[in-house]
Amino acid sequence: MMRTRPLKVALLGCGVVGSEVARIMTTHADDLAARIGAPVELAGVAVRRPDRVREGIDQALVTTDATALVKRGDIDVVVEVIGGIEPARTLITTAFEHGASVVSANKALLAQDGAALHAAAEEHDKDLYYEAAVAGAIPLIRPLRESLAGDKINRVMGIVNGTTNFILDKMDSTGAGYQEALDEATALGYAEADPTADVEGFDAAAKAAILAGIAFHTRVRLDDVYREGMTEVTAADFASAKEMGCTIKLLAICERAADGASVTARVHPAMIPLSHPLASVRGAYNAVFVESDAAGQLMFYGPGAGGSPTASAVLGDLVAVCRNRLSGATGPGESAYAALTVSPMGDVVTRYHISLDVADKPGVLAQVATVFAEHGVSIDTVRQSGKDGEASLVVVTHRASDAALTGTVEALRKLDTVRGVASIMRVEGE
């Protein structure tokens, strides 16, 4: 039997995502009510610019006083899509204090202060849901913390930023340089006017922190995530990748150590074999590959950003939170019982592709090989080409620690026969 009194929703932010949330709440009102067991009512919309025309939203609901809105006391759920750290953090905690559960899409805040927000939600016996914070419309958070709750997850590796994937895909498919591909992404609306958060990996790092925390039941903050952007990736890197049967992706990788005692989280460009499912993810799409003991290998794929896809994830959380509200229950909170050590990047073990500019004369290869051996880094393949006294030497290693590889490269730079290190790239997915 459906309850007639509506559940009241406060919307913080009415930009690309917020306006879609409001539209879907209105156009799908009957379906949402049937799925929840009660109608949902948009009770207020907090914005910075109240004079802007917002189609389909009653202007009487619009306010610039977000604090007063979340303090009303009759609000059942606050949907936060304003982003950033403040005032979002204060508004969310205030919402808990005044009796509301929260649905958020704020990856930066959750990566930085997720533990404190979860603690506030638990203190006030309220829900904190955030499916939309990672990978847009792709159901990922809920499968990790609910569907796979009985399994042991060992690795989560994915493409979680559509802008960077579009740029790298364009460089791969057309031979374009980085700046040319970025300009096209900007013209098409995939890249912001200031693309730093995307291309330098900040956006993906926040998502990696959230994914690692959920997957490994361990608190992982943004500062724990190694981050390397993709602005230095060149057409020559793609040419080298193709020679190896690979392509290049900006990957977020969260993995459990072999002994199970520690985890790592990192974001960086990497070569990945064309045979790996992530290699075929094109354009601005996202995909996340999960490896676990019982379920084996799973891949989640779909649009990772945009108003409608992100709003879809927000509305999914809204339905779940409203159902909990009606039943007097709360959903899963933070699970950090494992409290595993978060290891530094130096402990990460993977393969490497190193391109060196060297003198074209006898003995160079032997010198380089000796340096690798002295640092305990085993060489898989070597390719050398050159003329007129200059040469290029491409070395692909077996698996080695990042610390060992760093020491190797520092020693190589000291060789008189090594003119420079053209590029270093990790090789993942094998």
Side-chain angles (χ1 to χ4, degrees):
M1 182 176 179
M2 183 177 295
R3 191 181 81 164
T4 56
R5 185 176 72 79
L7 292 161
K8 293 188 176 183
V9 177
L11 179 61
L12 307 183
C14 197
V16 173
V17 176
S19 60
E20 276 297 292
V21 170
R23 183 190 67 80
I24 295 171
M25 284 184 63
T26 301
T27 58
H28 296 177
D30 291 342
D31 286 337
L32 290 173
R35 294 166 191 171
I36 292 168
V40 286
E41 173 189 313
L42 188 59
V45 182
V47 300
R48 286 185 298 175
R49 293 181 287 273
D51 297 332
R52 177 180 294 177
V53 176
R54 294 174 173 84
E55 185 177 349
I57 295 178
D58 184 351
Q59 188 63 24
L61 298 177
V62 176
T63 179
T64 58
D65 194 342
T67 301
L69 178 59
V70 299
K71 283 184 173 181
R72 273 177 38 174
D74 65 335
I75 300 297
D76 293 288
V77 184
V78 169
V79 174
E80 183 271 311
V81 288
I82 56 177
I85 306 302
E86 287 291 357
R89 174 170 50 199
T90 299
L91 291 170
I92 289 173
T93 55
T94 301
F96 292 142
E97 292 166 0
H98 287 79
S101 289
V102 173
V103 172
S104 176
N106 196 330
K107 53 187 171 288
L109 177 58
L110 288 159
Q112 178 173 305
D113 290 319
L117 295 178
H118 275 293
E122 183 177 359
E123 178 185 354
H124 297 284
D125 197 25
K126 296 296 179 286
D127 276 325
L128 173 62
Y129 276 49
Y130 43 91
E131 184 69 63
V134 180
I138 305 172
L140 185 59
I141 301 296
R142 193 171 288 111
L144 286 178
R145 71 178 186 175
E146 296 182 34
S147 302
L148 296 173
D151 206 343
K152 178 184 177 184
I153 297 173
N154 297 309
R155 198 171 202 234
V156 179
M157 179 171 74
I159 299 161
V160 295
N161 183 277
T163 299
T164 54
N165 199 57
F166 177 89
I167 293 170
L168 292 172
D169 183 39
K170 186 61 61 174
M171 292 175 69
D172 184 28
S173 60
T174 69
Y178 166 75
Q179 189 60 51
E180 183 183 352
L182 172 60
D183 290 344
E184 182 173 350
T186 304
L188 292 172
Y190 291 124
E192 301 286 345
D194 179 2
T196 302
D198 294 324
V199 300
E200 294 294 351
F202 290 100
D203 175 85
K207 295 170 181 176
I210 295 169
L211 291 174
I214 295 170
F216 306 130
H217 304 279
T218 294
R219 286 179 179 169
V220 180
R221 299 180 74 253
L222 183 58
D223 292 345
D224 296 322
V225 181
Y226 172 84
R227 177 193 55 79
E228 183 182 320
M230 41 78 71
T231 58
E232 301 301 318
V233 176
T234 66
D237 291 326
F238 274 101
S240 294
K242 287 182 178 180
E243 290 179 359
M244 291 180 58
C246 293
T247 187
I248 298 172
K249 299 291 186 182
L250 184 74
L251 297 177
I253 304 173
C254 315
E255 57 190 346
R256 188 190 302 267
D259 63 5
S262 64
V263 298
T264 56
R266 51 197 165 104
V267 169
H268 53 72
M271 293 183 180
I272 187 167
L274 295 175
S275 57
H276 194 282
L278 291 177
S280 61
V281 179
R282 311 299 297 270
Y285 276 72
N286 285 191
V288 177
F289 200 72
V290 177
E291 300 176 31
S292 70
D293 276 0
Q297 297 179 333
L298 307 169
M299 189 164 109
F300 301 83
Y301 169 84
S308 293
T310 306
S312 171
V314 170
L315 266 295
D317 279 350
L318 180 62
V319 169
V321 170
C322 286
R323 286 172 175 169
N324 291 343
R325 192 85 172 182
L326 289 179
S327 66
T330 55
E334 182 188 33
S335 176
Y337 74 90
L340 300 175
T341 300
V342 183
S343 297
M345 186 63 185
D347 292 349
V348 169
V349 175
T350 189
R351 298 178 65 208
Y352 292 86
H353 177 282
I354 305 102
S355 180
L356 304 172
D357 296 325
V358 299
D360 187 16
K361 62 182 185 181
V364 173
L365 179 56
Q367 284 185 322
V368 169
T370 297
V371 169
F372 275 87
E374 288 174 347
H375 288 81
V377 179
S378 175
I379 294 175
D380 183 16
T381 62
V382 178
R383 187 175 69 255
Q384 185 173 9
S385 61
K387 60 181 180 179
D388 300 327
E390 298 297 328
S392 174
L393 191 64
V394 175
V395 178
V396 179
T397 74
H398 289 291
R399 290 173 63 82
S401 73
D402 188 83
L405 196 282
T406 298
T408 302
V409 172
E410 289 175 355
L412 288 171
R413 294 183 192 276
K414 296 176 182 178
L415 294 178
D416 292 339
T417 51
V418 175
R419 311 299 193 211
V421 180
S423 70
I424 304 170
M425 192 165 294
R426 297 167 183 86
V427 183
E428 302 286 349
E430 295 185 329

